[in-house]
Amino acid sequence: GTAPLVKAIAGTTTLKATDYYKPLVEGDILESDDRQRKIVLGSYVALATLFVKGCVLLPDMDAIVACKTVLAVLVGYEFADLGSGVYHWSMDNYGTKNTPVFGTQIEAFQGHHELPWTITYRQVCNNIYKICQATFPVAMAGIVAIDDPYVLLWMST
């Protein structure tokens, strides 16, 4: 019953989020597991590699190179913001949990808007690993196939 909660409040034990909060989707977990952490780490390493490769391939710095570099990063952030906004809007407004490929994401997005505080119960890697999983192949393709420093810097943002 309430004994684990009382111990947690007293500071004598640590609760998992699912001990006191029911996830929106049956069977969902709120804690990050090792697989999710590895996916996030791999994605972050790939993005950092894109950035480092882009910096290494930059020509000698002058005003033009500096402007192109700043522009590549700013445009990258703008594309990321626009892309994530369109994605979020699409998940919020179209489809159901039964939609192929995106169904579980749609269900989570729509549920998040019904009960917005639920995201605060989810650990970070648990919350972002699906996005990292989707971006990893693109980042790897950039590492292997692209040698334009500005494209690499754009991709890394």
Side-chain angles (χ1 to χ4, degrees):
T2 60
L5 185 58
V6 171
K7 287 181 181 179
I9 292 169
T12 59
T13 189
T14 302
L15 292 177
K16 297 186 304 182
T18 48
D19 289 338
Y20 58 87
Y21 184 78
K22 184 179 182 295
L24 291 173
V25 179
E26 191 64 40
D28 193 14
I29 60 168
L30 302 173
E31 292 80 22
S32 300
D33 61 28
D34 287 339
R35 179 179 160 272
Q36 294 164 347
R37 288 183 190 96
K38 288 175 186 174
I39 290 169
V40 171
L41 176 63
S43 178
Y44 279 34
V45 167
L47 290 171
T49 303
L50 279 173
F51 183 78
V52 169
K53 182 179 177 184
C55 289
V56 168
L57 293 175
L58 280 171
D60 291 338
M61 192 59 64
D62 62 21
I64 300 294
V65 172
C67 286
K68 285 180 165 182
T69 301
V70 169
L71 186 62
V73 171
L74 290 176
V75 170
Y77 276 109
E78 187 57 37
F79 269 70
D81 188 44
L82 177 66
S84 64
V86 169
Y87 176 79
H88 194 128
W89 175 78
S90 299
M91 295 293 114
D92 286 345
N93 293 293
Y94 298 102
T96 68
K97 68 180 181 179
N98 299 319
T99 302
V101 181
F102 298 104
T104 57
Q105 294 173 50
I106 291 169
E107 183 177 27
F109 268 82
Q110 292 172 355
H112 163 73
H113 288 286
E114 292 172 16
L115 303 168
W117 61 88
T118 59
I119 199 168
T120 65
Y121 290 95
R122 191 174 293 280
Q123 291 183 342
V124 173
C125 290
N126 180 288
N127 195 39
I128 66 172
Y129 84 95
K130 289 180 182 178
I131 297 164
C132 291
Q133 200 169 19
T135 59
F136 183 78
V138 176
M140 291 305 296
I143 293 166
V144 171
I146 296 176
D147 289 325
D148 183 314
Y150 307 109
V151 172
L152 290 164
L153 292 172
W154 172 78
M155 289 179 72
S156 71
T157 55

